[in-house]
Amino acid sequence: QVQLQESGGGSVQAGGSLNLSCTASEYTYKDYCMGWFRQGPAKGYEAVARIYGDSDTGYYADSVQGRFIISKDSAKNILYLQMNSLKPEDTATYYCAAYWRSSCFNSWKRFHYASRGQGTQVTVSL
C-alpha cells in the first residue's frame, strides 16, 4: 500500500500563501492519479485538486480554481499544492491521496482513495 505523508500546513492571514507537500513511499504516478482533498468546518469534505502521473495538467474544484496549483516531482515522488490568496473558508485539514487511475475522476469526487496521508492543518485568519 502506498504510504503518504503531508507537510507544510500552518496558520496564515487571509491573502497569504502556503505550499503543501506530500511524499509518497513508492513510485505511484503510473498506477494512480494523485490529489488533495480537505475537511473543514464550513464545507465538510471537499475534493480540491488532482493530477495524472503522465501529465502536468491539474484539475480543480471551482472554489480553488485560479488560486491553487497542484504539481508533482515524479523523480522525488513528491506532490505539491501551492495555495495562494487564501481565504478563511480554506481553513481545513488537507489530505493527500492516491486514487486508482482507471477511475480517477469519480474516485476523487467521492473520496474513494486507495491511500491517504494523515493530514495537515491549514488555518486562515482575517
Side-chain angles (χ1 to χ4, degrees):
Q1 184 178 4
V2 176
Q3 297 190 12
L4 303 169
Q5 178 72 52
E6 303 95 338
S7 61
S11 297
V12 65
Q13 288 190 320
S17 298
L18 284 172
N19 190 24
L20 305 184
S21 298
C22 171
T23 301
S25 62
E26 61 187 78
Y27 180 71
T28 63
Y29 302 117
K30 183 177 67 174
D31 299 321
Y32 304 93
C33 68
M34 302 294 293
W36 296 88
F37 69 93
R38 64 188 180 185
Q39 183 186 13
K43 299 182 180 180
Y45 284 96
E46 183 179 18
V48 173
R50 74 187 190 278
I51 190 168
Y52 289 91
D54 57 355
S55 171
D56 291 328
T57 301
Y59 300 87
Y60 303 93
D62 290 344
S63 60
V64 306
Q65 180 75 48
R67 299 189 297 122
F68 289 13
I69 301 171
I70 187 171
S71 63
K72 56 181 171 55
D73 185 332
S74 298
K76 297 181 179 179
N77 289 348
I78 301 176
L79 181 73
Y80 300 100
L81 186 68
Q82 176 67 42
M83 305 187 296
N84 302 316
S85 302
L86 282 162
K87 305 175 181 180
E89 51 263 43
D90 294 318
T91 294
T93 301
Y94 283 73
Y95 297 90
C96 166
Y99 308 90
W100 295 111
R101 180 186 172 88
S102 59
S103 59
C104 182
F105 173 74
N106 286 329
S107 297
W108 174 71
K109 288 293 287 184
R110 298 173 183 176
F111 313 104
H112 291 171
Y113 45 80
S115 182
R116 69 161 174 88
Q118 85 292 346
T120 186
Q121 178 65 35
V122 171
T123 302
V124 185
S125 59
L126 289 172

